[in-house]
Amino acid sequence: MWKAAARLLSYSALSTTTLPDFQRSVVLPNISRLSSALHTLAEKQRDEELLVLCLESLTEIVRVFPTSHRSMTDPLSRLCLRILDGSTRSTPSSIASAASRLYASLHVTGGKVGGSALWRKGVDETIVFVRKALGNLRTSYAVEGESSSIDCKFVLLDLKGIPPSSNDPLSSVSLELDRLRCGVELLCRFLQSVEFFCRSDVKPYSA
């Protein structure tokens, strides 16, 4: 039921951009409510298929209606970064890919002026995240004076970075390896997002 509802509502919003009257009277007043509902559903969801559906739907909605989602940038960022924080059990590739696509698309909420700065900031922070995960995999001890946390936006999530000198090195290696994989996936999505938003057939909706 949740999957059908998410697909139907998302399709209704995204397939009617050529109907300005419908967009103004129905879609625009309710698009933030739809996104908020999808966000809440994704936060509580453990079903992989439904979680991916929510993330992918949010990605497309944010791309088409960027100005309506400026207030949702922070909660959506936290959702994505919590998923991309990695797991000792390995984050499913479909979930990592969907979360990366959503996070890499959030810079459009900054508009033409602030979007490029947000994109560059996201890329810089992702590179720091990847380098930190790689560094933890390459050493068997904590470097004196070096913090195990990540000095970027990811630190807002209290990632509990585990240095390789942890009492459980097997868990540490699994976690950092998954973080590295998620970080590389996210970096690739950032680079792909530039090509996507340069396409002439994809334009944000404006009333």
Side-chain angles (χ1 to χ4, degrees):
M1 181 182 70
W2 289 114
K3 297 176 185 177
R7 289 192 180 99
L8 176 60
L9 293 173
S10 299
Y11 178 80
S12 298
L14 297 170
S15 64
T16 57
T17 55
T18 57
L19 304 174
D21 291 338
F22 182 81
Q23 287 281 314
R24 280 193 294 267
S25 61
V26 178
V27 177
L28 290 178
N30 296 289
I31 192 65
S32 59
R33 296 179 184 177
L34 172 58
S35 298
S36 179
L38 290 172
H39 169 258
T40 301
L41 186 61
E43 285 278 10
K44 301 178 180 179
Q45 196 50 238
R46 295 193 177 186
D47 179 81
E48 179 178 339
E49 186 177 348
L50 183 53
L51 175 56
V52 170
L53 175 61
C54 291
L55 294 173
E56 291 180 343
S57 297
L58 283 167
T59 300
E60 299 304 320
I61 292 173
V62 168
R63 286 173 170 175
V64 178
F65 305 95
T67 57
S68 300
H69 291 82
R70 289 176 179 172
S71 62
M72 292 192 63
T73 301
D74 287 343
L76 290 178
S77 296
R78 286 193 294 269
L79 170 63
C80 295
L81 296 179
R82 179 175 57 81
I83 294 173
L84 297 172
D85 180 26
S87 171
T88 55
R89 298 181 180 179
S90 183
T91 305
S93 58
S94 59
I95 294 179
S97 177
S100 297
R101 290 181 65 236
L102 175 56
Y103 187 69
S105 68
L106 293 178
H107 69 274
V108 299
T109 60
K112 295 181 179 179
V113 177
S116 59
L118 291 176
W119 181 87
R120 182 169 59 251
K121 184 174 183 289
V123 172
D124 290 342
E125 291 171 350
T126 303
I127 292 175
V128 172
F129 179 67
V130 171
R131 290 184 61 184
K132 187 65 179 180
L134 181 60
N136 285 346
L137 286 171
R138 287 170 57 86
T139 183
S140 59
Y141 58 91
V143 179
E144 184 177 356
E146 181 175 329
S147 173
S148 61
S149 62
I150 299 169
D151 187 19
C152 65
K153 187 172 183 178
F154 286 85
V155 89
L156 296 176
L157 300 179
D158 187 21
L159 295 186
K160 304 180 180 66
I162 302 176
S165 58
S166 169
N167 292 331
D168 189 359
L170 293 179
S171 297
S172 174
V173 169
S174 298
L175 175 62
E176 298 298 344
L177 189 61
D178 194 45
R179 284 178 174 173
L180 178 61
R181 184 173 62 85
C182 290
V184 170
E185 174 73 21
L186 177 56
L187 187 58
C188 290
R189 294 299 180 180
F190 266 117
L191 298 178
Q192 291 172 356
S193 69
V194 176
E195 179 182 356
F196 180 90
F197 290 108
C198 286
R199 287 167 46 188
S200 60
D201 61 317
V202 180
K203 298 180 180 179
Y205 176 82
S206 58

